[in-house]
Amino acid sequence: MDLAARIESSIEAALLAAAQTDCPPRLADALHYAVFPGGARIRPRLTLAVALACGDDDPAASDAAATAIEILHCASLIHDDLPCFDDADMRRGKPSVHRAFGESLAVLAGDALIVLGFDLIAASPMRHPERMAPLIRVVGRAVGAQGGITAGQAWECESAVDLAAYHLAKTGSLFAAATVAGAAAAGAEHELWRPLGETIGEAFQVADDIADHVGSTAVIGKPTGRDKALGRPSAVLELGLDAAVSRLKSLVGRATALVPPCRGEAHLRALILTETQRFVPAGLVAAAA
Amino acid sequence: MDLAARIESSIEAALLAAAQTDCPPRLADALHYAVFPGGARIRPRLTLAVALACGDDDPAASDAAATAIEILHCASLIHDDLPCFDDADMRRGKPSVHRAFGESLAVLAGDALIVLGFDLIAASPMRHPERMAPLIRVVGRAVGAQGGITAGQAWECESAVDLAAYHLAKTGSLFAAATVAGAAAAGAEHELWRPLGETIGEAFQVADDIADHVGSTAVIGKPTGRDKALGRPSAVLELGLDAAVSRLKSLVGRATALVPPCRGEAHLRALILTETQRFVPAGLVAAAA
């Protein structure tokens, strides 16, 4: 099974387990709508790629880690799109969850997916159950109040913002969890994998800023020009477009150099190169070059 | 240390760990504001009481379970009070989190507390780490989309509501988790403890309906008369006040009879009787009688 198929089947199983009996039908619909069809599933593919590069001796653990990270990512998108934050009408090419189901169900769907993210790790039939606690802590750190996604979003509510902390928390943290959890699931020395994930996350953030600046809603699947409209920090607005594109290239180079020694090192490096090239939709690369 | 002090100290430690470095200052304030000063801490006291009745041979595990349940309860109160749900101005005698910090930080504080609830169980230095997965699953079930608090709140978004499922999910589920997790933390056969928790939860719900009907904001610390105003199901509106009071008494009687065999059985029964009598504030008992 290729990585994408393995991830989709694991996410489907998790959703099915979370929303069968005793789940109010509209909430079940909202959960499914928020998770399928997915985006590029970049983070969970990264988790599995790292786990495989480290031997992947406990596939139930790496599946759980990858799935939890994607589910928590989906939860954050739902809440980010709410009227009190970005008030976004579109996401992944269709109406955002709060536009499709109303604000109440959007809040609840986000909450339910956060719960599911942790519950599915606890439910995983791991071969090495001693890896469960570190996995939950890695994922919890990535989404919590202390440098996680929640902190990232909350920096937008402060008058004085620490920009580096903001970007690291809002985007870098979950990419860091993707690499660290992949290594932890395979029993590797996992904290060594944090700089790689953080750097890929930074590259992704710059690519996202570029896409927001030069893209169109039709290509990106969500509204563009939002950074400027909402006064959000953006690499393009700070550095200019050309320098932002150079920065993206340099971050990708740095990321490939940060892969820790592991048995699948060369393959993983090549994969990171391919994957990061897909961060900016093909049509935009020419426009941005 | 008495139960209340043990719980407060455990909650304080969890909050401190979650909101020290890398936490945006207003988010840290909102988290503290949402959790302190607490309400009656009924659920975590129940968790510890059950753990003690079962021998409490792993206090780190029972502390973590009790704290997680209270933290997740606080998270649900923040989100319940949001404008898109109850739009409540007051909670525990002071402005609700969204009134004090704004809607964005209220959503984020709720999210961060959900994450913390699970993370703190994973961080617990349990003597019996094999109890971690069952504890997380018990807590996850209580707050998730499948019969948990999220499901309970989501029933309010359905046109056809299953009333029994609604009450069990919205209130019973976390009380059930309180007894079941207390037993699981102490290594007892934990699912035997579910009917007790569900029945105490049902009694609490009826008591809450009575307080909403006959109480005043000054005594209750939150707006009253909301069930009628919001068209929410209520035992008082369904049965009348006298029958609701009888029902509360009968549920308390049933609960004491449902305590499973354990070494602290008699003491726990007496405790349940005392605790449930405090469900309705003293001044209201006479008014409701």
Side-chain angles (χ1 to χ4, degrees), chain A residues 150-227:
Chain A
T150 318
Q153 192 74 10
W155 279 117
E156 294 179 13
C157 307
E158 296 284 336
S159 50
V161 178
D162 176 336
L163 267 187
Y166 167 72
H167 279 307
L168 184 56
K170 184 144 189 206
T171 310
S173 61
L174 207 51
F175 277 94
T179 52
V180 175
E189 207 177 320
H190 51 272
E191 281 300 328
L192 289 180
W193 289 79
R194 189 169 291 279
L196 170 63
E198 288 180 350
T199 307
I200 297 177
E202 209 179 332
F204 182 82
Q205 181 63 57
V206 174
D208 200 53
D209 292 349
I210 295 172
D212 180 79
H213 187 77
V214 303
S216 68
T217 304
V219 176
I220 313 289
K222 62 181 182 180
T224 54
R226 302 292 290 167
D227 292 337

Side-chain angles (χ1 to χ4, degrees), chain B residues 154-175:
Chain B
W155 279 117
E156 294 178 13
C157 308
E158 296 285 336
S159 49
V161 178
D162 176 336
L163 267 188
Y166 168 71
H167 280 307
L168 184 56
K170 183 145 190 203
T171 311
S173 62
L174 207 50
F175 277 94

Side-chain angles (χ1 to χ4, degrees), chain A:
Chain A
M1 200 175 351
D2 74 355
L3 290 196
R6 185 173 156 190
I7 288 157
E8 288 309 305
S9 117
S10 177
I11 297 176
E12 270 162 28
L15 257 282
L16 200 67
Q20 42 187 13
T21 50
D22 296 334
C23 183
R26 292 190 66 221
L27 177 60
D29 290 346
L31 292 173
H32 197 274
Y33 182 92
V35 177
F36 302 105
R41 309 286 198 211
I42 297 173
R43 296 160 191 78
R45 279 197 286 135
L46 186 56
T47 302
L48 291 191
V50 168
L52 285 162
C54 295
D56 199 25
D57 66 344
D58 193 343
S62 49
D63 279 346
T67 304
I69 285 169
E70 179 64 13
I71 293 279
L72 286 159
H73 172 58
C74 293
S76 80
L77 297 182
I78 304 174
H79 284 186
D80 278 9
D81 286 344
L82 284 172
C84 66
F85 296 107
D86 292 1
D87 197 15
D89 292 331
M90 300 288 287
R91 169 69 69 181
R92 290 176 177 166
K94 61 184 188 180
S96 53
V97 176
H98 72 97
R99 286 275 177 255
F101 292 88
E103 208 175 326
S104 306
L105 277 171
V107 172
L108 294 171
D111 291 354
L113 290 181
I114 300 175
V115 173
L116 176 60
F118 293 100
D119 189 50
L120 74 87
I121 299 179
S124 162
M126 296 182 190
R127 193 178 295 164
H128 299 280
E130 72 280 7
R131 295 179 191 169
M132 182 178 293
L135 275 180
I136 290 175
R137 301 234 57 206
V138 164
V139 172
R141 171 175 168 181
V143 294
Q146 199 156 267
I149 300 181
T150 318
Q153 192 74 10
W155 279 117
E156 294 179 13
C157 307
E158 296 284 336
S159 50
V161 178
D162 176 336
L163 267 187
Y166 167 72
H167 279 307
L168 184 56
K170 184 144 189 206
T171 310
S173 61
L174 207 51
F175 277 94
T179 52
V180 175
E189 207 177 320
H190 51 272
E191 281 300 328
L192 289 180
W193 289 79
R194 189 169 291 279
L196 170 63
E198 288 180 350
T199 307
I200 297 177
E202 209 179 332
F204 182 82
Q205 181 63 57
V206 174
D208 200 53
D209 292 349
I210 295 172
D212 180 79
H213 187 77
V214 303
S216 68
T217 304
V219 176
I220 313 289
K222 62 181 182 180
T224 54
R226 302 292 290 167
D227 292 337
K228 200 167 179 181
L230 296 169
R232 281 188 304 216
S234 149
V236 179
L237 298 177
E238 275 164 55
L239 309 172
L241 183 57
D242 288 351
V245 171
S246 303
R247 179 148 180 72
L248 171 58
K249 285 177 185 159
S250 122
L251 284 166
V252 169
R254 199 197 302 166
T256 56
L258 280 170
V259 174
C262 59
R263 67 171 91 162
E265 202 176 322
H267 180 70
L268 183 59
R269 267 206 196 101
L271 193 78
I272 288 168
L273 218 55
T274 323
E275 289 286 321
T276 47
Q277 270 159 5
R278 291 164 57 182
F279 279 1
V280 183
L284 299 185
V285 177

